[in-house]
Amino acid sequence: MHQLDQSNETCLVFVYGTLKRGLQNAAYLEKAQMLGRNQTAYAHYALLAINNVQGDIHGERYDYPGLVDNGKHHVLGEVYAIPTAALQGLDALEDVDHVYHRREINLNNNVKAWAYFYIECPSRKTSQEHKMLKTSQNSMSWG
């Protein structure tokens, strides 16, 4: 598991899935400062449930969410302050450029943070129906 590097330079990361407290990958952020819950500033996103048929690096087979642009919802999540150097570890976990790409996102209260967006791929099974996926009138969350 990647540990957060200790440095003075920090950045904000918006997490909406398995990195949230109490979920499978929360340990990656256990030394980070949680700043609180927040949601996307605009309601033009969706969460997809991705069927993890191959398992992760430890062989675990849990499904996970993917944030995409082509929706009509706010996405709820948590905001963390992490050392900027720790982004490399999160990029490795999120398999950047293969499964996700990282880009800045606008959240409520004029907060900007890094977020991981899912790279849609026809060979991966996805759904908007899943026991972990919660949808209300104009928002979506995982967990």
Side-chain angles (χ1 to χ4, degrees):
M1 181 177 313
H2 296 278
Q3 296 296 317
L4 294 179
D5 298 325
Q6 300 301 316
S7 80
N8 293 333
E9 193 174 330
T10 62
C11 62
L12 300 182
V13 176
F14 176 69
V15 299
Y16 53 83
T18 64
L19 285 164
K20 288 175 21 182
R21 283 189 178 173
L23 297 181
Q24 295 93 330
N25 290 318
Y28 282 86
L29 295 174
E30 66 189 357
K31 293 184 180 181
Q33 178 186 7
M34 182 183 179
L35 301 179
R37 297 177 54 94
N38 207 327
Q39 71 177 17
T40 57
Y42 307 105
H44 59 166
Y45 300 103
L47 287 179
L48 299 178
I50 298 125
N51 185 339
N52 188 4
V53 295
Q54 296 178 349
D56 66 7
I57 59 173
H58 305 292
E60 293 185 45
R61 289 182 160 194
Y62 53 83
D63 294 342
Y64 55 90
L67 176 65
V68 294
D69 282 312
N70 56 353
K72 298 178 182 173
H73 296 90
H74 292 280
V75 172
L76 306 173
E78 299 169 351
V79 179
Y80 289 84
I82 66 167
T84 301
L87 284 172
Q88 290 177 342
L90 291 179
D91 286 353
L93 171 70
E94 301 293 8
D95 201 2
V96 165
D97 295 331
H98 295 103
V99 178
Y100 291 94
H101 67 274
R102 176 172 42 92
R103 72 171 207 242
E104 204 168 51
I105 191 169
N106 293 310
L107 305 174
N108 281 351
N109 302 316
N110 295 315
V111 174
K112 287 188 178 203
W114 290 112
Y116 290 91
F117 284 77
Y118 179 63
I119 299 170
E120 295 188 67
C121 174
S123 66
R124 291 188 208 108
K125 283 184 64 178
T126 63
S127 171
Q128 288 196 336
E129 300 292 327
H130 192 278
K131 64 181 179 181
M132 293 289 286
L133 197 56
K134 295 172 180 45
T135 304
S136 68
Q137 185 175 11
N138 68 345
S139 65
M140 296 183 85
S141 64
W142 184 267

